[in-house]
Each structure stands twice: as C-alpha cells, then as structure tokens.
Amino acid sequence: KQEVTQIPAALSVPEGENLVLNCSFTDSAIYNLQWFRQDPGKGLTSLLLIQSSQREQTSGRLNASLDKSSGRSTLYIAASQPGDSATYLCAVRNTDKLIFGTGTRLQVFP
Amino acid sequence: NAGVTQTPKFQVLKTGQSMTLQCAQDMNHEYMSWYRQDPGMGLRLIHYSVGAGITDQGEVPNGYNVSRSTTEDFPLRLLSAAPSQTSVYFCASRSELATDTQYFGPGTRLTVL
C-alpha cells in the first residue's frame, strides 16, 4: 500500500529565506508526483507535476525534484514571501488513484 | 470554463439524515473523484470514476454512494449521516492524459450533529 509522508509538518521562516519541503513515498511504481498549495478554507491549487520519467520541474520561484528510486521529492521555494504562507501537499499517482501526504504548513513572516 | 464546481459550500445535518453533495466539471474530463480532508489525516479518497457508468471504491468508501450517469456530474450521497462523516469534502477531475494535473473544487464543509 502506497504511503506518502511529508516533513516537516509545520515550518515558520522569515521573508527572503530559501526553503525545502520534503515528500517521501513507499512504492516507487508511480505515474507522476504533484505538489499542491492549499490556502485556509480553500481548495487545492496545482503547483507542479513531475512525470515518473522526469527529474525536476520549475515554475517561477518553485522547483520540484523527483528521485523515484529512493522514493523522494523535494519542493524548493526561493526567496520566500509572506504570500507563500499556505499548506503544501504532495501527492503520488498510482494507476487511477492519487495518494496524498498530510502536508507541510508554511508560515513566512515579514 | 467554470472548472470544478461543488454545492453546497456548507451543510449541517443531524445523525441519520441523508443528503447529496453535488459536483460538476465543464472540462470534459473522464476521471472524477471524491476526497475527504480531516485534520492530521490529509486527503483520503472515497470513490472515483474513470468515465460515465464506471465507479470504484477508494480508501474510505463506507457510508457513501456514488453514480456517474454523465461525464459532467459526479454526486456523492451520504446514506445515513454519522458524526464521523463531519469533514471537508473535495471533488476533483482530470483528463485521461498521464501528463494532466488534478483540478479540485472549492470544497463542501459538512457537519453532522
């Protein structure tokens, strides 16, 4: 059974810091891995999707990497801003199912 | 495109009542799914559908029923509400392409008293 773990559960950093969020999964037979952002009381917004054959994806200040063999992904946020404060979720796709981690709650303070 | 829409946004039920959570998408996506989100437990898959007329169980299907008569709609039915079903429910859809991301609705916050 696929299990997805995210560390740390919560993170508080000053504005301007570069930071790394971690995601690990137990079954390397995945189609893709996605990173989502969730603001309080809102739905999920997709940030990056990495196919199983890819090593990384970039969008603006965000960079996500995937090491399928070791079951790990990282989300790198450069020059963090207070607007980045949210919960970040990773999810892996096995066949038709998307399995989520429990998320990292990020607070960026001015 | 409206994307994925869900109604209602909020709902309070008494134990034993039944109700249907509505979900619709206008992107002609084949895949639709329902998740519940509880504190400390992340999102868990309830039911999913790979196309009209085809549904399957996810991780936590007990107490819920689904059907998929059209591509656009995927309602979730609570047969006899229980306090353990108090949660935030999200509907999602995606195309059949392996490269496509999952699109989520805004959620329904359900409280069962």
Side-chain angles (χ1 to χ4, degrees), chain B residues 2 6-8 14 27 31 33 41 55 65-66 79 81 84 88 94-95 103-105 108 110 112-113:
Chain B
Q6 292 183 238
T7 56
K14 294 181 179 177
M27 298 172 281
Y31 291 81
S33 50
M41 302 194 73
T55 63
N65 202 357
V66 292
L79 308 173
S84 61
V88 182
R94 66 172 176 85
S95 75
Y103 297 87
F104 280 81
T108 294
L110 175 67
V112 183
L113 303 175

Side-chain angles (χ1 to χ4, degrees), chain A residues 32 34 38 46 51 96 98, chain B residues 31 35 37 94 98-99 101:
Chain A
N32 59 45
Q34 299 180 54
Q38 185 176 29
S46 178
Q51 296 300 328
D96 296 318
L98 203 60
Chain B
Y31 291 81
Y35 294 85
Q37 186 175 34
R94 66 172 176 85
T99 54
T101 188

Side-chain angles (χ1 to χ4, degrees), chain A residues 42-92:
Chain A
K42 304 291 186 183
L44 280 71
T45 301
S46 178
L47 297 173
L48 290 164
L49 182 151
I50 312 177
Q51 296 300 328
S52 62
S53 58
Q54 296 175 323
R55 297 289 297 212
E56 65 177 345
Q57 282 286 341
T58 298
S59 176
R61 294 183 294 108
L62 305 180
N63 175 277
S65 67
L66 174 65
D67 184 343
K68 203 172 69 162
S69 61
S70 67
R72 293 180 183 179
S73 175
T74 61
L75 178 66
Y76 176 81
I77 302 177
S80 58
Q81 304 170 357
D84 294 330
S85 299
T87 296
Y88 291 81
L89 296 147
C90 73
V92 296

Side-chain angles (χ1 to χ4, degrees), chain B residues 26-103:
Chain B
D26 61 0
M27 298 172 281
N28 203 32
H29 285 167
E30 291 296 320
Y31 291 81
M32 296 187 74
S33 50
W34 277 102
Y35 294 85
R36 59 178 289 173
Q37 186 175 34
D38 303 291
M41 302 194 73
L43 278 84
R44 292 181 292 169
L45 182 65
I46 305 171
H47 285 286
Y48 65 101
S49 169
V50 300
I54 306 170
T55 63
D56 206 347
Q57 295 181 350
E59 188 182 355
V60 287
N62 292 341
Y64 307 95
N65 202 357
V66 292
S67 60
R68 184 97 179 269
S69 56
T70 68
T71 299
E72 295 78 19
D73 301 298
F74 190 43
L76 179 72
R77 297 182 186 85
L78 278 69
L79 308 173
S80 177
S84 61
Q85 294 178 305
T86 293
S87 187
V88 182
Y89 291 85
F90 289 100
C91 178
S93 75
R94 66 172 176 85
S95 75
E96 70 275 13
L97 297 175
T99 54
D100 197 21
T101 188
Q102 194 103 322
Y103 297 87

Side-chain angles (χ1 to χ4, degrees), chain A residues 86-106:
Chain A
T87 296
Y88 291 81
L89 296 147
C90 73
V92 296
R93 184 181 151 198
N94 288 118
T95 59
D96 296 318
K97 300 178 183 178
L98 203 60
I99 310 298
F100 282 84
T102 51
T104 293
R105 190 170 64 254
L106 173 65

